[in-house]
Every structure is written in C-alpha cells, then in structure tokens.
Amino acid sequence: MIKCNVTVGGTISRVATVRTNNEGKVFTAFAVNCVIPAKSGINKTVEISIAKDGEDNELKNYAIGQRINVSGTLTFKKRGDNLYFNLSASDVGLSASNEDSIKGEMHFRGKTGKHIEEKTDKKGKDFLQFSGFSTEKVNDGFEYLWVRFFGFDCKREEWLQPQTGIEVKGEMDLSLYNDKLNLACKVSEMSKYVKPAYNSNN
C-alpha cells in the first residue's frame, strides 16, 4: 500500500465530466498535467487522473490549459513499465503560479529490499538508505512498485533487515533520472509491519 496526502500544481489536460461509479455514487472526473524535472536528461510530463466526490459544477467551467491546485490522496497503479497516477481530491482551486509540483506526505506499507545501507553524508551525519516495495495482485501475477527511503536522524533498529515488513511515513519525493521516474521518501516515522492474520469470518 502506498498513499500520499499531496497538493498538486499543474495544468488541466482533460475537461471535467460527471460520472457514476459501480456503487452508484456520483463524482466529477478530470485530469491535470504536471512536469517532473529531470536530474539528468529531459523533463517528463505525467498526467494525473483526478476524481472529486459529487457533481462540482464549478469545475465544468475550467478550461484545458488552466493552471490549478488540487489537494487530496494520491495513489499509484503500475502496469508493466507504465506508472499511473490517481488522485481523490478534497480541494480544488485555481492557481496563479506557473510552477508544477507534487508535494506531500507518503504512507507506505510493504517489504524492504535486499540491502539496508548505513551511510555518512558530506557533513559527517549518519543516515540510512534502503529500498522497499509494495505489491499489487493483477490477474494471475503481481506488480511491484519500489520506493527509495532515506532515514536522517534515525538509528537502525534491530528489526530493520532485508525482506522485512515495514510501515513508513515521511515526505514524498518524485524525481526523474534518464527518463525513469523515481519515487522516494524522507523518513519521519518507521516501524516493523506484521500483516494481520487472515480471518475467514471477516
């Protein structure tokens, strides 16, 4: 599981339409383009699909190309090499800024990768660096979405080992390197995660 409470600044790329989900609930759907700056190579534009509960008549007046800020819960869907962005909006407003951004806090549950590294930065401060993955069952297989974690001002606990269940909260960072999107998190809270036992009665 990866959920991020974020604010997105971008440009409307698909006009708002009113739809009904499988449970009969009405929502307003549109999309926003956001440019992710590249650390190396060319910047990349990602499209974020946005859904807002109810029929928002004001959104219907927003035109393609309009600058906008959207706050809400961002989730990800990985299919092969493609990463899709879905945002359940709580607040939408016009923006006077020309800067694209995706900023917020990540909540992650998954497993650590094969390596937990204890490093020292240029100022002599110790930090942890490791990767973790969240798993989604898709048809007869699985999709794995990886996140890079950086733990500053936190010591390595005994339980933090490779291939261990983990729950992390912290600042989300989305970047681009050689045309590949990198999802990262600056750790503020971290604990061992034990998946609840399956109860057939629930």
Side-chain angles (χ1 to χ4, degrees), residues 1-3 76-79 107-113 132-147 163-166 193 195:
M1 179 213 74
I2 303 175
K3 290 184 178 180
F76 307 91
K77 184 170 70 173
K78 188 173 182 293
R79 296 294 182 268
H107 185 186
F108 172 95
R109 281 184 192 151
K111 276 191 174 182
T112 55
F133 62 90
S134 176
T135 308
E136 180 189 2
K137 188 172 182 3
V138 180
N139 298 324
D140 294 329
F142 293 90
E143 291 282 359
Y144 301 91
L145 181 55
W146 286 86
V147 178
Q163 304 294 308
T164 298
I166 191 171
Y193 177 71
K195 191 174 181 180

Side-chain angles (χ1 to χ4, degrees), residues 197-202:
Y198 175 73
N199 188 339
S200 60
N201 294 325
N202 291 335

Side-chain angles (χ1 to χ4, degrees), residues 21 28 62 69 84 87 110 118 125 128 131 140-141 144 170 190 193:
N21 65 17
T28 303
Y62 292 178
N69 281 333
Y84 299 95
L87 196 155
E118 299 177 68
K125 291 186 177 182
L128 297 175
S131 294
D140 294 329
Y144 301 91
M190 178 168 56
Y193 177 71

Side-chain angles (χ1 to χ4, degrees), residues 4-8 70-74 87-91 103 105:
C4 303
N5 291 321
V6 301
T7 296
V8 172
V70 185
S71 298
T73 303
L74 177 67
L87 196 155
S88 176
S90 57
D91 187 63
K103 296 179 180 179
E105 297 291 313

